[in-house]
Amino acid sequence: MVTICPSILSADFSRLAEELKDVEQKGAGCIHIDMMDGHFVPNLTFGVPVIKALRPVTELPFDAHLMVTNPEAYIDDLADAGVQYVTVHQEACVHLDRVLQQIHEAGMKAGVALNPATPVSTLSCVAGQLDLILIMSVNPGFGGQKFIPYSVEKIRQAKELLQKAGNTEAVIEVDGGINAKTVQLVKDAGATFLVAGSAVFGAADRKTAIASLR
Ligand code: DX5
Ligand code: ZN
């Protein structure tokens, strides 16, 4: 069973509320929100006030992907804004263990994202504490990029890592370049949360796009 998480990075920013309602009606299971600060990645998107404004629009869980330096500065505000999943980048956290504790203390699920060049083994010490591992299958910062094939092996490794840690609850999410051509590869490898930006928001028929990814 997989959950399709449309990334609002590819939505029409002038009509975000309508866009969220639309994908909710068309089968999305979660809303993926890409927070970028222009430092960790060379792009800038939205922050907590926008997330807060969108919270009443849909009942779907919010999955905030923090492509920011100092993610710890936003955790409590994200909890107040009604976010369910907070995913920080391993590369942005000097004190990853502490950040994970902070997310849990704020009452949210904690995820860690890995850039394409970051090995899965960097999560071995915290594997038991994770609710989610996000394997980036593109370099973060932009929608519509080409899927990096070696990500498939990293999904398998993440699955193994969680199994070894006896963590049966955590999910593996994949983000970047997911479309009709790549989706089967990542599902077979063990990803169950599938982020799709351009493949959902850019589709003429979003219902069919979501159903076929699922
Ligand atoms: C990229 C973002 C993604 C992005 C995916 O940094 O994390 O969530 O929106 O876009 P697609 O699905 O178009 O590759
Ligand atoms: Zn993302």
Side-chain angles (χ1 to χ4, degrees):
M1 192 52 193
V2 301
T3 301
I4 306 299
C5 316
S7 162
I8 61 170
L9 188 61
S10 293
D12 178 348
F13 283 3
S14 70
R15 300 167 43 252
L16 272 180
E18 287 163 59
E19 293 279 79
L20 258 65
K21 281 183 197 146
D22 187 53
V23 292
E24 177 173 32
Q25 278 165 14
K26 291 177 177 162
C30 194
I31 299 291
H32 185 82
I33 303 176
D34 290 304
M35 264 176 72
M36 303 186 190
D37 66 352
H39 295 281
F40 182 69
V41 287
N43 198 3
L44 192 60
T45 54
F46 26 68
V48 173
V50 173
I51 297 176
K52 209 169 195 165
L54 290 172
R55 187 56 287 186
V57 166
T58 169
E59 283 174 15
L60 292 178
F62 277 3
D63 164 32
H65 175 193
L66 273 54
M67 285 162 276
V68 303
T69 55
N70 303 323
E72 60 279 2
Y74 305 98
I75 308 296
D76 293 338
D77 290 344
L78 287 165
D80 281 348
V83 166
Q84 280 69 33
Y85 290 88
V86 172
T87 297
V88 295
H89 267 264
Q90 188 273 351
E91 305 83 4
C93 296
V94 178
H95 303 293
L96 183 60
D97 180 279
R98 183 185 289 155
V99 176
L100 294 172
Q101 286 183 46
Q102 202 188 336
I103 297 170
H104 284 143
E105 279 162 16
M108 299 178 290
K109 303 247 191 211
V112 179
L114 297 176
N115 280 339
T118 305
V120 171
S121 59
T122 56
L123 298 183
S124 60
C125 295
V126 294
Q129 287 165 253
L130 299 175
D131 300 300
L132 185 149
I133 295 178
L134 172 51
I135 301 295
M136 288 305 299
S137 40
V138 296
N139 286 290
F142 305 94
Q145 302 181 80
K146 203 169 168 287
F147 182 81
I148 296 174
Y150 67 72
S151 315
V152 176
E153 180 54 29
K154 289 180 72 184
I155 295 170
R156 281 193 209 104
Q157 291 170 359
K159 197 174 167 181
E160 237 178 70
L161 186 84
L162 291 170
Q163 273 165 0
K164 263 194 204 147
N167 184 344
T168 53
E169 299 292 314
V171 297
I172 299 170
E173 183 173 45
V174 60
D175 183 6
I178 302 302
N179 56 37
K181 283 189 192 139
T182 54
V183 72
Q184 198 58 49
L185 290 169
V186 301
K187 280 200 243 181
D188 289 348
T192 57
F193 271 37
L194 313 182
V195 178
S198 40
V200 170
F201 285 104
D205 179 352
R206 291 175 178 173
K207 193 172 178 178
T208 305
I210 291 172
S212 60
L213 289 175
R214 206 199 279 120

